Amino acid sequence: MRHIAIIGSGPAGYYAAEAALKHWGDEVAVDIFDQLPVPYGLIRSGVAPDHQSIKAVSRRYEATAQSANVRFIGNVSVGSDVSIAEMQSLYDAVVLATGAPHDRPLALPGEHLGNVFGSAAFVGWYNGHPQFADLKPDLSGETAVVIGMGNVALDVARILAKTRTEFDGSDIVAHALDTLDCSRIHKVVILGRRGPHQIMMTPKELGELGHLARACPRVDPGDLPDLGDDALLEPGLRKSVTHLRGFAAIPESHRADMAIELEFDFFASPVALQGDKQVTGVTVERTRVEAGRAVPTGETYTIPASLVVSCIGYQTSPIPGVPFDERAGRFANDEGRILPGLYCVGWARRGPSGTIGTNRPDGFGVIDKIVEDIGAGGGKQGRAGFDRLAAERKLDVVTFADWKLIEEAETKAAREGAPREKFVDVASMIAARRG
Ligand code: NAP
């Protein structure tokens, strides 16, 4: 029997568990830990609430979770309730699937002004992550600036633009829905330090901006490269740029009917956030793109802004004693190997890139490494040892069966047409587990 601990119950963690089951069948016991009492990581608290079809992948993780050889151990924080060294002494392999839960800092003057948020916090707020449920963003001003031109920036801009009705069928949490319903924002500026050919937005997600009930995208045709140059792009990016060209061609008469404008501001690198206590503007420097890089031109201007959400990427949370690559913002590793018996997978291994599906080959890849390292071996205490430790420390472990009770309570509490109303604090989750 091999005993494997996976720290983190998001996509990378569950794909790794699935791979372990595929390889060893009944000769493996996998414990999946999460610091929250609820599983699925980014599927629950990162994927946009109006993208329910993406969230449906959790059914696949549930199938893995239901295996007798896999346990969910929620409400246990590895690093504080149990140390990594203790986990390594108990399990033949410990896999860090902890994702990248922290915002990369902007590192700009004014970053700590009021109503400036990183996307981890803002997305966590509208998705009901307990850490960010009390964020209370002020949406009473007119202009929001979203920094970055990736899919997270798109999520944030779209969520700020949607009407209450457009959230029908989503699992956006009530506190966010009510706050957004009272929003006075009528302009969202999406800021990119490079040009249309360098966006990180994927076509399906970008195309959604063209179909909103009260919001309309604006692209300055003068920012678009020559049409012929699009032929050099890889197909996905070419499709995205085609959407931008479509947005640039939207007639002003159509815009006039729209309450919210989503303005793409290309070649604009933020250099400072203005304001006294609360943010009032973002100063940006014009850039030009040379050999794919943003080159500052020295020309600056300030965009008035009452809300700023920085969507410039994420970094992994370091764990004491685990080698960390500060520059890359993830664990230092060689194809998933960190130290003997210690591995990482998903965003904790490669940084915050790719789709949910990208984590599947990653999960299978890390199990291949573990097979190479301990294929015939094993023999540590695993589950039994952890259960003894948890009892000694009186850890209030949440099992998968407990999660199903929490899920049932969330489903029962759902507003009409919504799949669930999430609990947004740990105490309520625990209480629901106890019925
Ligand atoms: P991302 O795709 O890496 O985009 C980050 C953006 O921030 C880029 O436009 C980048 O510009 C910009 N940026 C970085 N540092 C900056 C700085 N200091 N100042 C100004 N701009 C800066 O990251 P993400 O949007 O956080 O997404 C993370 C991953 O999750 C991606 O793989 C994404 O596709 C995925 N995701 C997918 C979905 C979906 O499929 N529906 C939804 C959300 C997220 P440069 O390119 O110039 O560096």
Side-chain angles (χ1 to χ4, degrees):
M1 190 59 120
R2 288 98 191 143
H3 294 281
I4 298 187
I6 296 175
I7 320 302
S9 69
Y14 269 106
Y15 284 126
E18 184 186 323
L21 283 182
K22 265 220 165 89
H23 187 82
W24 283 298
D26 271 346
E27 293 180 353
V28 70
V30 181
D31 282 353
I32 303 185
F33 291 78
D34 204 296
Q35 58 185 357
L36 288 180
V38 292
Y40 306 143
L42 266 197
I43 297 294
R44 179 177 168 101
S45 57
V47 172
D50 56 343
H51 282 171
Q52 288 298 313
S53 57
I54 298 180
K55 286 178 188 255
V57 71
S58 63
R59 283 193 220 113
R60 180 183 186 123
Y61 309 149
E62 179 157 337
T64 301
Q66 303 283 12
S67 156
N69 293 59
V70 175
R71 295 197 309 182
F72 172 69
I73 300 180
N75 203 33
V76 172
S77 186
V78 174
S80 52
D81 290 328
V82 193
S83 72
I84 284 285
E86 286 169 326
M87 295 295 283
Q88 285 189 268
S89 73
L90 292 171
Y91 291 89
D92 301 311
V94 176
V95 182
L96 303 176
T98 49
H102 298 306
D103 289 301
R104 279 188 50 216
L106 271 172
L108 293 180
E111 181 170 8
H112 301 293
L113 286 167
N115 234 26
V116 176
F117 304 108
S119 52
F122 196 77
V123 171
W125 168 71
Y126 62 63
N127 269 329
H129 189 292
Q131 195 185 342
F132 303 111
D134 292 331
L135 199 71
K136 296 193 174 54
D138 177 359
L139 309 186
S140 64
E142 292 186 355
T143 305
V145 170
V146 173
I147 302 175
M149 288 205 179
N151 282 332
V152 173
L154 275 179
D155 282 347
V156 169
R158 189 181 68 255
I159 296 291
L160 284 171
K162 276 196 164 180
T163 59
R164 192 175 189 102
T165 314
E166 286 173 290
F167 285 112
D168 284 355
S170 81
D171 65 350
I172 190 165
V173 291
H175 65 230
L177 186 59
D178 292 342
T179 304
L180 288 162
D181 206 21
C182 300
S183 166
R184 298 227 188 103
I185 289 169
H186 66 71
K187 186 170 183 175
V188 180
V189 179
I190 306 167
L191 214 57
R193 59 183 173 180
R194 298 190 290 159
H197 274 189
Q198 286 81 32
I199 58 171
M200 303 293 283
M201 298 162 165
T202 45
K204 183 170 165 288
E205 285 67 23
L206 183 55
E208 283 180 72
L209 290 199
H211 303 282
L212 297 173
R214 64 170 173 190
C216 184
R218 178 185 285 279
V219 169
D220 179 348
D223 283 340
L224 294 167
D226 290 340
L227 183 60
D229 295 350
D230 290 5
L232 304 170
L233 303 174
E234 58 86 15
L237 180 56
R238 196 183 319 139
K239 268 192 195 161
S240 291
V241 174
T242 303
H243 281 304
L244 294 178
R245 293 189 185 281
F247 298 162
I250 293 173
E252 288 304 319
S253 56
H254 176 70
R255 274 179 222 293
D257 299 334
M258 294 293 185
I260 300 179
E261 180 159 278
L262 305 169
E263 181 184 307
F264 285 78
D265 196 352
F266 295 103
F267 309 107
S269 181
V271 291
L273 305 183
Q274 308 297 341
D276 180 9
K277 288 198 176 100
Q278 190 99 342
V279 70
T280 56
V282 181
T283 301
V284 301
E285 181 168 13
R286 263 287 161 249
T287 63
R288 60 174 184 274
V289 172
E290 283 177 12
R293 296 178 66 88
V295 179
T297 63
E299 177 198 341
T300 61
Y301 57 98
T302 297
I303 305 166
S306 51
L307 167 73
V308 173
V309 186
S310 160
C311 307
I312 63 165
Y314 300 109
Q315 50 194 15
T316 295
S317 212
I319 299 178
V322 180
F324 196 75
D325 179 340
E326 292 289 345
R327 203 184 52 79
R330 53 174 162 73
F331 296 115
N333 72 92
D334 178 13
E335 293 183 30
R337 290 184 174 103
I338 303 178
L339 294 169
L342 186 62
Y343 304 81
C344 56
V345 69
W347 281 11
R349 176 183 82 78
R350 64 176 200 277
S353 64
T355 62
I356 302 291
T358 316
N359 293 298
R360 189 168 187 275
D362 238 37
F364 278 70
V366 78
I367 294 301
D368 285 347
K369 301 286 174 236
I370 297 173
V371 170
E372 280 172 27
D373 296 349
I374 64 151
K380 290 192 181 173
Q381 296 172 54
R383 294 183 167 185
F386 174 78
D387 289 348
R388 265 195 299 278
L389 191 73
E392 265 166 43
R393 294 196 183 156
K394 299 191 169 45
L395 300 181
D396 189 6
V397 168
V398 171
T399 65
F400 200 77
D402 294 335
W403 150 244
K404 293 304 285 177
L405 291 175
I406 299 171
E407 187 184 41
E408 194 184 313
E410 290 188 335
T411 310
K412 269 192 193 147
R415 59 186 174 274
E416 207 187 324
R420 65 189 66 81
E421 183 61 55
K422 291 179 200 163
F423 293 112
V424 300
D425 64 285
V426 168
S428 305
M429 294 170 183
I430 298 285
R433 178 273 298 254
R434 295 190 179 123

